[in-house]
Amino acid sequence: MDFRKVDLNLLVALDALLDERSVTRAAERLAMSQPALSNALHRLRGLFADPLFTRGQRGLIPTARALELALPIKGLLRGADELLQPQTFHPAATTTEFKIATTDYMFVTLLVPLIERLQSDGPGIAVTVRSLESPDIPDRLARGELDLAISIPEFSAPHLQSRWLYTDRYVGAMRRHHPLARIRELSIADLCGHPHTLVAPAGGRVSGPVDDALARLGTKRAIRASVPSFLALPYLLACTDLIAVCPERLSRTFGAELVVFEIPLNIPSFDVIAVWHARSHNDAAHRWLRQALAALSSETHKPTE
DNA sequence: AATCAGCTACCTCGAGGTGA
DNA sequence: TCACCTCGAGGTAGCTGATT
């Protein structure tokens, strides 16, 4: 079939002619002139190699071939209409996979609630989580190997789209029976007088914003354990007298074995953002995912500043 | 209802120019 | 060399008005 010869508007014209059985009325319905629709009928006759209609006393009489075409054409036009409607996404009726790169901390604060939500709202949707430490995340977003990255603004690039999700700040955490646990307001001396644990990426520097703030005050802390994952903190803190400074939102997931406290340091808060490539900016499924993450962020997080 | 003439608007295609 | 843009020629569709 040579589809170059097929004009969808011709099928619309045939549909109207079959309904109206009159060139004049069909032309009015299609907001065309009567000669133009007559011309369209001429082309339809060529396309289907059939007269399609013969003239009767009151309008047109369809041929057997025209009657045979009536139902298939209605179905075809309904399908074309659905195809041209704005794209929508129904999570409950969709089977798909979202590939998201993030850190273990943001996995706990955002993706665990997302996956929990999907159990009821999108049972056919799978989430595959990748490490954010891979160096080619922007390229993988561009190639479609990743749908989204959840990170801090410094990670974003000019050619990527981004959306703010929430702002977090640093707090301290220690076990309930820690020697400092009964002190209401810790001093710098209290903080530096006890050993710490720190989350640092493999191969990265073994210090963080806490150490930078302490250095500005002319002091420092003793780091006794450096671990590569925030997920290790609750286990480590529960069985040692180590202190950890971590994002407040993460600290809310700690159990009753740990206590969370204000730190006597002025450390800037930080933003968490979603990052994606322009190729998926208008995709309905991607839009739904970004909206869901933003909603989860605002539902469970109150900005502290 | 169908067809024709004359007109306009739009689209496709190929040629040619330009810049990285 | 390639991608992209502009321009003109030719084809097609739809219009009005007149006619069969």
Side-chain angles (χ1 to χ4, degrees), chain A residues 212-231:
Chain A
D212 297 338
L214 289 172
R216 286 194 292 274
L217 297 171
T219 184
K220 63 180 181 180
R221 61 177 176 169
I223 294 170
R224 292 286 174 256
S226 171
V227 296
S229 168
F230 279 103
L231 302 184

Side-chain angles (χ1 to χ4, degrees), chain A residues 17-33:
Chain A
L17 284 165
L18 282 161
D19 284 349
E20 303 293 342
R21 308 283 166 97
S22 157
V23 173
T24 300
R25 288 196 298 274
E28 282 172 4
R29 175 170 140 184
L30 297 174
M32 295 169 70
S33 66

